[in-house]
Amino acid sequence: MVIIVAVLGILLGIGLVVLPNDHAAVSQAANGFARQFPRARIEALKSDKFAGIAVSTSGDGSYYVCVDQNDDRQCSTSEAVQTVDMGKGANSKVRLASTSSGFTQFMFDPRGIPMSAGGSVTFSNAAGTYSVTVAFTAAGEASVQ
């Protein structure tokens, strides 16, 4: 009996090491994205400029927080305060799979008031078998679903 329990323990240990932890990586990426909404609002208030979050689904996807330095009320990569690329480093198992109906950015004005409509962004594992959606409202509040 002891030998059977020991063998099962070893097999279980090997199985846990071999199985990728895609679900945790996808959930962590989604939570990280949701936390950027308050940060973008703070960047707008701190800099007294428009600030926001922009996303791209090209390749594995990416998102960045920006402060609008040229006053065109748009995020550009040259204005990024932080960029997060999916499919690389800690996010190697994660893809920014899709956005709701053409969503590309969410902006706050210099007073921290949201200037964009609500929407959603979906993150998935590399195989596309597991996904987590971050929904955000026109009020700039994000929640992981």
Side-chain angles (χ1 to χ4, degrees):
M1 183 70 144
V2 171
I3 293 172
I4 293 172
V5 170
V7 169
L8 287 174
I10 291 170
L11 291 174
L12 181 62
I14 291 171
L16 290 176
V17 171
V18 171
L19 291 175
N21 198 357
D22 291 350
H23 293 226
V26 171
S27 295
Q28 184 177 11
N31 282 310
F33 178 74
R35 286 191 301 269
Q36 299 309 314
F37 283 81
R39 179 180 180 192
R41 177 177 278 150
I42 290 168
E43 292 289 346
L45 292 167
K46 183 173 72 172
S47 65
D48 196 30
K49 293 190 172 285
F50 283 84
I53 303 166
V55 300
S56 170
T57 55
S58 65
D60 292 328
S62 64
Y63 65 87
Y64 56 92
V65 176
C66 71
V67 175
D68 180 23
Q69 299 297 334
N70 62 5
D71 296 323
D72 66 353
R73 298 182 182 194
Q74 299 289 317
C75 279
S76 67
T77 54
S78 64
E79 298 170 325
V81 175
Q82 177 185 6
T83 301
V84 178
D85 294 320
M86 300 296 120
K88 297 178 184 175
N91 292 320
S92 63
K93 301 174 184 176
V94 182
R95 308 293 175 260
L96 199 154
S98 64
T99 63
S100 60
S101 61
F103 169 76
T104 58
Q105 68 179 9
F106 191 97
M107 298 296 288
F108 293 93
D109 77 3
R111 297 170 294 162
I113 297 172
M115 303 299 294
S116 303
S120 65
V121 173
T122 302
F123 296 86
S124 72
N125 62 351
T129 57
Y130 177 75
S131 64
V132 175
T133 299
V134 177
F136 44 91
T137 66
E141 297 171 355
S143 63
V144 178
Q145 301 176 340

